[in-house]
Amino acid sequence: MSANQNTVNITFRNHVIPDENASRKAGRPIFHDMEVCDLSFPANRQTKATYPAHDAEPNATRESIAAGGSVVTYAQLYNKQYLAFKDGNAQPLSGTPLSEAPFLKEGKRRELKALGVHTVEQLASLDGTPLKQLGMGGRELKNQAQAYLDNAAGSADITNLAAEVVALRQQLAEERRLREEFMENGKPVKGAVAPADEPEQKDDEQPSQDEEEEQDHGIPPTVEEIEAMDDEALKVYIAKETGSRPRGNPNHDTLVAAAKELAMVD
């Protein structure tokens, strides 16, 4: 795997190198600029490396070629930083800046930055000797950083799920409205799906037990029953309650949340 951009410090710069052959021919010193990429690691003063910006990055290139792609250079792998360097702008960090970490005081932020730790992700990734560089309380800082990231990820999941459920609810409400217009007007409405014709039932025919169960809408499923349903069963239930199957391919959690809302259970 290539170096995780959240746990490495990446800087592009121009490096001046002498051209010995050109200098001998010209009888004066000749230099060329070479764009290079400096890599360093948080709280680790021993591990640093510099590579030509347009050389192939070995790990990323190996992965790319295995997937049928081509060579990946350092400039391509760390493209945000490279483009900022070319534009003369400050090269962006990849991750959450320490300034956004509520569990850190300003003095500790400055200490960490002096050690080359600039993001919450870098702090959470520290282990072994780099972690020891933080001194007493370093393990607690690492744990706080990881807890912050975990909580943020959980909040994002909840927000995304809520948005998907709202979108599904709006879709089903619109389809229900179109179906009601169809039934009231007796003519097609753009976007509405005509209900299938039901076979005529003779007076002396009694509905089967399965049919009676299908017609029974009075008892909604329990939370346990909903959570035991697979995706297809959830879509069938939603279609039965709303008159329309969910469009697209909503994920399982979205379908469960929508079914619970229709059944009015938590």
Side-chain angles (χ1 to χ4, degrees):
M1 294 292 292
S2 303
N4 187 332
Q5 295 191 34
N6 287 338
T7 59
V8 63
N9 293 315
I10 306 149
T11 305
F12 287 91
R13 61 182 173 85
N14 282 315
H15 176 63
V16 179
I17 55 175
D19 187 328
E20 295 181 359
N21 290 332
S23 296
R24 280 197 299 269
K25 291 179 180 179
R28 57 184 173 83
I30 302 292
F31 296 86
H32 294 296
D33 284 338
M34 173 186 288
E35 294 180 342
V36 297
C37 176
D38 293 329
L39 301 181
S40 62
F41 296 86
N44 186 341
R45 292 189 173 90
Q46 285 70 43
T47 305
K48 297 181 180 180
T50 298
Y51 303 98
H54 303 287
D55 275 11
E57 201 282 339
N59 295 321
T61 294
R62 182 166 54 251
E63 293 173 354
S64 174
I65 291 176
S70 57
V71 167
V72 178
T73 67
Y74 289 90
Q76 291 171 326
L77 181 61
Y78 307 118
N79 194 241
K80 287 193 302 183
Q81 290 87 347
Y82 178 71
L83 292 178
F85 157 68
K86 295 298 287 182
D87 290 340
N89 298 325
Q91 296 177 45
L93 295 171
S94 183
T96 303
L98 294 180
S99 59
E100 300 299 317
F103 57 89
L104 290 176
K105 295 182 179 180
E106 185 56 33
K108 183 58 67 175
R109 290 191 183 100
R110 295 188 182 188
E111 289 179 23
L112 291 169
K113 289 179 180 179
L115 289 170
V117 181
H118 300 285
T119 68
V120 178
E121 288 84 353
Q122 290 179 343
L123 178 56
S125 73
L126 295 181
D127 216 340
T129 300
L131 181 59
K132 293 178 182 178
Q133 296 297 313
L134 302 189
M136 186 176 297
R139 174 66 63 177
E140 178 61 23
L141 287 175
K142 170 188 170 71
N143 292 341
Q144 288 179 318
Q146 188 60 59
Y148 172 84
L149 295 174
D150 291 342
N151 290 336
S155 297
D157 289 343
I158 292 171
T159 300
N160 292 337
L161 176 58
E164 290 176 359
V165 171
V166 168
L168 178 57
R169 186 191 307 128
Q170 291 173 341
Q171 171 217 322
L172 296 175
E174 176 64 13
E175 292 185 357
R176 176 181 289 175
R177 182 187 67 79
L178 292 172
R179 288 174 63 86
E180 290 173 352
E181 288 186 14
F182 181 92
M183 298 299 292
E184 290 175 2
N185 300 332
K187 58 183 180 180
V189 177
K190 185 178 181 182
V193 179
D197 293 335
E198 296 183 1
E200 183 178 352
Q201 182 173 307
K202 297 179 182 179
D203 293 339
D204 58 349
E205 287 184 356
Q206 297 296 323
S208 67
Q209 183 177 354
D210 290 341
E211 289 172 336
E212 288 179 344
E213 290 176 356
E214 289 178 359
Q215 293 170 4
D216 181 10
H217 297 282
I219 304 176
T222 64
V223 172
E224 291 75 15
E225 289 171 337
I226 289 174
E227 292 178 345
M229 294 179 185
D230 60 18
D231 286 3
E232 180 59 26
L234 288 164
K235 291 177 181 178
V236 169
Y237 171 69
I238 291 170
K240 184 179 72 173
E241 294 298 312
T242 64
S244 302
R245 285 174 65 92
R247 287 196 299 265
N249 189 30
N251 63 36
H252 183 74
D253 289 340
T254 300
L255 292 171
V256 168
K260 287 181 178 178
E261 184 169 325
L262 290 169
M264 293 186 291
V265 295
D266 295 326

